[in-house]
Amino acid sequence: MCWRQVSKLQKTVLIVLFYSTVYVLVSYTISPETNFAFVSDDLRVGDKYALIYLSSPGTPVFTDAEGADVFRSRRCGLCFITNNKGFLPMSEFDAILIPGDRSALLDTAAYMAIGKSFSIETSTKCLRNKLRRCSWEPHITSLDSSEPFDLCSLCDHLHRERLKPNS
């Protein structure tokens, strides 16, 4: 079969078939392998975890496992931290951590409840490393009562607050 003897329609079909075959072969060799990682039941967020939102734009987003691992690696209670703004409505979090001083309050004052707002002082490297391998432990201060915390004592405080009956 000579290329000149093939009709225009057949040429078009052959060219489309050739290019689609090349496309499929190239896409399978270039595309990354898909990996699935299922979160175990003890890492699932629910009523047993105190939920903390870190208001830190520009830092990498915590995965579900990393959010719980921040506290597990420090041998703290069952707490979960995230900086994913779409994870839950802000009113559902037990605490909101704001890096820096009180001037950062202006950006977050719209969704903060009294008693849920805390200031966190740590290095930007520590925030970028998702609160791991910090040169010094982050210092947390309640913006309501000025009570100082570290991550473990904040976790314990939030669990005690959850156990209190609503007044």
Side-chain angles (χ1 to χ4, degrees):
M1 174 163 73
C2 183
W3 187 253
R4 291 182 187 169
Q5 295 174 345
V6 179
S7 72
K8 200 172 196 178
L9 176 64
Q10 290 173 335
K11 286 180 185 179
T12 306
V13 170
L14 287 173
I15 290 172
V16 169
L17 183 63
F18 173 75
Y19 279 117
S20 60
T21 304
V22 170
Y23 173 78
V24 169
L25 288 174
V26 169
S27 67
Y28 278 123
T29 58
I30 292 178
S31 65
E33 183 179 327
T34 304
N35 294 325
F36 295 99
F38 294 101
V39 178
S40 63
D41 285 337
D42 63 327
L43 293 179
R44 293 191 190 277
V45 177
D47 291 337
K48 60 184 175 180
Y49 282 88
L51 304 173
I52 302 169
Y53 176 72
L54 176 63
S55 175
S56 179
T59 58
V61 177
F62 285 87
T63 64
D64 291 350
E66 290 170 333
D69 193 45
V70 167
F71 296 95
R72 187 182 315 107
S73 65
R74 288 176 168 83
R75 301 194 191 320
C76 299
L78 294 175
C79 285
F80 179 83
I81 189 167
T82 186
N83 56 350
N84 181 359
K85 202 171 208 173
F87 186 75
L88 283 173
M90 289 299 157
S91 60
E92 297 295 317
F93 286 100
D94 296 308
I96 298 173
L97 297 181
I98 305 157
D101 56 3
R102 290 182 184 262
S103 63
L105 267 173
L106 299 175
D107 298 334
T108 56
Y111 56 77
M112 287 180 21
I114 296 174
K116 288 187 175 186
S117 54
F118 296 86
S119 171
I120 181 169
E121 296 173 26
T122 189
S123 65
T124 54
K125 183 179 178 184
C126 182
L127 287 174
R128 273 187 268 122
N129 288 336
K130 301 178 181 182
L131 302 175
R132 292 179 301 203
R133 298 184 308 272
C134 299
S135 55
W136 45 278
E137 186 69 18
H139 300 287
I140 301 168
T141 307
S142 170
L143 296 177
D144 185 36
S145 65
S146 298
E147 186 178 355
F149 298 101
D150 62 5
L151 284 170
C152 288
S153 62
L154 175 66
C155 184
D156 293 338
H157 171 75
L158 294 175
H159 279 288
R160 282 194 306 274
E161 289 296 314
R162 280 181 152 215
L163 295 175
K164 285 184 181 177
N166 294 338
S167 8

